[in-house]
Amino acid sequence: LDISEVRGIVERVFARQEVLDVCARRDLGAIVAVLGTHGVTQGQISELTGIGQGRLSEWARHKRTPTASSTFEAFADGLAIPPRARQALGLAPIPLGGAGPGPEQSPGGRAALPAQAPSGTARPPTGGLSRLPGLEGVRSELEVVIGVLKAEQDRRKAGLAVRRPAWKNLVFTGPPGSGKSRTAIAVGQAYRKLGVLSSGRVLQVTAADLAGAGPEETGKLVGKAARLATGDLDDQ
Amino acid sequence: MINDAHDWDGLPDRGLQVLRRLNETLSEYRDTLNDDLAVILAGQAEPLGRLLHGIPPLAARFRAVIDFPGFTPRQLSAIFVTLADDAGLRLTTAARAKAAAVLAQAESDHVPGSARLAVGLLNQATAAQARRLAAWSARNQMPVALATINEGDIPDRLSPDTVLPADDWPGQYL
């Protein structure tokens, strides 16, 4: 299935009353199973939502049950679930966290499930950071960064050449426990949704992990970390 | 995400080797590997700024420097409530008030502005609630009770064991 087919299936499936009833029970495992019967694989759902395939499998087999609001938000945001179904899941009808209006209002903001209309004036997605008080300033700065990347993506979608893409790298400064890692996860999700990265996975390493005894070893360590981060190398 | 990136400033070559290699890697991914990599350097502002200014081409590859000032006691209380909500738990009014007082005290005693205090307090509170519930008979455990943290579940002080004194273990706690 390509992404447009997945989008069509999601819209059709979540329009059905029995699926809305499943949403009201907050049974994500049953939703994963229903999507599976329509050909949407757990791997595709994982890729779109950033939720691990193993976790999805456990839900589908009812070995585990998700409870965290952030999980429901990631699931609904990643699949661009329609407003009625979002409400049935106990979520706001449009994505929270600066993710902007839902698919009906602002489909262009989601690279994971690209839609037909232009982006409009939606705020760039910042991965649910609004749930954490005290990160308003961080969120505001990120919106500028992500807004630039989003505009760039919109130009690409419009068929315009982007010969000099904007850099996506960031510097986070601050003491331990100030939300840097949490924000990095949100940035990963936002970049994936925009389509500027193929995966939202964040690999965390410490500076010492990359500093080798000599240039050759350092080169290997940095290269390996990059390949791990991009999924080109398995961390097993 | 590269944590404690400021540590490179303490290397004999002031991190030149690793920063050069990082610069090469970013260029390589951009030019030949579909630009499918983003790097976040995290650490202390001053040494990190010094490192990047030493290699202007690398500094130019970082789009923004975002400062995380840490959380006020009031924000820590709100984070505690959010984390409890994410765990499917509800706090009584008295529990919220006590948690706010404990966090304010811990904030001044331990690591100022660290959200790990809120995480640590929630860990202690959920453990206390679990012990309380275990002492009840199953018949008495109404759903609302299972999801409620009351004042007695909040410890009088945050255990030092739950607070990491330094950034020995960087990572996502929130």
Side-chain angles (χ1 to χ4, degrees):
Chain A
L1 292 176
D2 66 26
I3 211 71
S4 61
E5 289 175 298
V6 173
R7 181 179 175 80
I9 290 168
V10 166
E11 286 184 358
R12 286 197 302 278
V13 164
F14 284 93
R16 286 162 37 192
Q17 185 56 49
E18 64 266 30
V19 176
L20 292 175
D21 292 341
V22 171
C23 290
R25 296 201 301 273
R26 307 193 93 199
D27 188 348
L28 296 189
I31 294 172
V32 170
V34 169
L35 289 172
T37 65
H38 289 267
V40 182
T41 65
Q42 292 177 6
Q44 287 170 318
I45 297 172
S46 173
E47 183 64 27
L48 291 170
T49 61
I51 297 167
Q53 196 173 337
R55 183 67 56 89
L56 294 169
S57 173
E58 288 177 336
W59 296 350
R61 288 180 286 127
H62 290 102
K63 297 279 185 191
R64 291 178 70 158
T65 305
T67 55
S69 303
S70 55
T71 303
F72 284 90
E73 282 171 10
F75 190 85
D77 291 357
L79 289 174
I81 286 175
R84 269 187 76 199
R86 288 182 62 92
Q87 284 179 301
L89 279 168
L91 302 174
I94 59 174
L96 297 170
E104 275 72 17
Q105 289 87 353
S106 175
R110 342 172 144 267
L113 289 178
Q116 301 78 18
S119 57
T121 57
R123 297 178 79 178
T126 47
L129 283 184
S130 67
R131 278 185 65 73
L132 286 181
L135 292 179
E136 294 83 4
V138 167
R139 188 177 151 215
S140 172
E141 291 190 61
L142 277 178
E143 281 178 355
V144 174
V145 172
I146 292 171
V148 169
L149 295 172
K150 182 175 178 304
E152 192 175 279
Q153 282 295 78
D154 287 344
R155 288 199 291 278
R156 283 194 187 97
K157 286 177 193 168
L160 300 170
V162 179
R163 279 185 289 275
R164 193 176 182 281
W167 288 102
K168 301 182 287 288
N169 312 303
L170 300 168
V171 177
F172 287 177
T173 61
S178 55
K180 298 188 296 297
S181 296
R182 168 72 176 247
T183 302
I185 305 290
V187 168
Q189 291 171 356
Y191 281 4
R192 180 188 59 79
K193 283 185 182 176
L194 283 176
V196 296
L197 290 181
S198 61
S199 162
R201 176 185 181 189
V202 176
L203 175 75
Q204 296 215 32
V205 296
T206 62
D209 294 333
L210 304 181
E216 193 178 342
E217 189 185 358
T218 297
K220 282 181 183 171
L221 292 171
V222 173
K224 183 180 177 186
R227 291 197 301 280
L228 281 170
T230 55
D232 294 331
L233 187 66
D234 201 337
D235 54 3
Q236 294 303 309
Chain B
M1 180 176 194
I2 303 170
N3 289 301
D4 296 336
H6 55 266
D7 281 352
W8 288 332
D9 196 39
L11 294 175
D13 68 346
R14 310 296 296 262
L16 199 60
Q17 200 176 93
V18 67
L19 290 168
R20 278 186 179 152
R21 181 57 188 156
L22 181 62
N23 190 36
E24 289 165 10
T25 301
L26 291 174
S27 299
E28 180 188 2
Y29 270 82
R30 173 140 152 162
D31 296 339
T32 62
L33 295 169
N34 217 19
D35 203 17
D36 199 21
L37 177 70
V39 169
I40 295 173
L41 288 181
Q44 296 168 8
E46 199 179 323
L48 249 179
R50 217 167 28 238
L51 283 168
L52 286 173
H53 284 134
I55 305 187
L58 178 61
R61 281 158 170 70
F62 286 84
R63 178 151 197 92
V65 177
I66 299 177
D67 184 48
F68 291 70
F71 301 102
T72 65
R74 194 186 185 91
Q75 288 167 340
L76 286 178
S77 296
I79 288 171
F80 179 75
V81 174
T82 301
L83 295 176
D85 182 55
D86 284 348
L89 297 165
R90 298 288 178 272
L91 297 153
T92 63
T93 304
R96 283 182 194 227
K98 186 172 178 186
V102 172
L103 284 169
Q105 185 63 46
E107 205 264 353
S108 62
D109 288 349
H110 298 288
V111 190
S114 173
R116 296 176 194 179
L117 298 172
V119 175
L121 183 61
L122 184 65
N123 289 342
Q124 282 186 252
T126 52
Q129 188 229 25
R131 283 194 298 271
R132 175 167 58 80
L133 293 177
W136 291 4
S137 76
R139 232 176 291 165
N140 291 332
Q141 292 182 9
M142 302 293 288
V144 67
L146 294 172
T148 300
I149 297 282
N150 63 31
E151 185 182 5
D153 297 327
I154 306 290
D156 294 331
R157 293 181 71 83
L158 195 59
S159 162
D161 297 341
T162 67
V163 182
L164 294 169
D167 207 6
D168 293 337
W169 296 97
Q172 188 188 5
Y173 289 75
L174 277 175

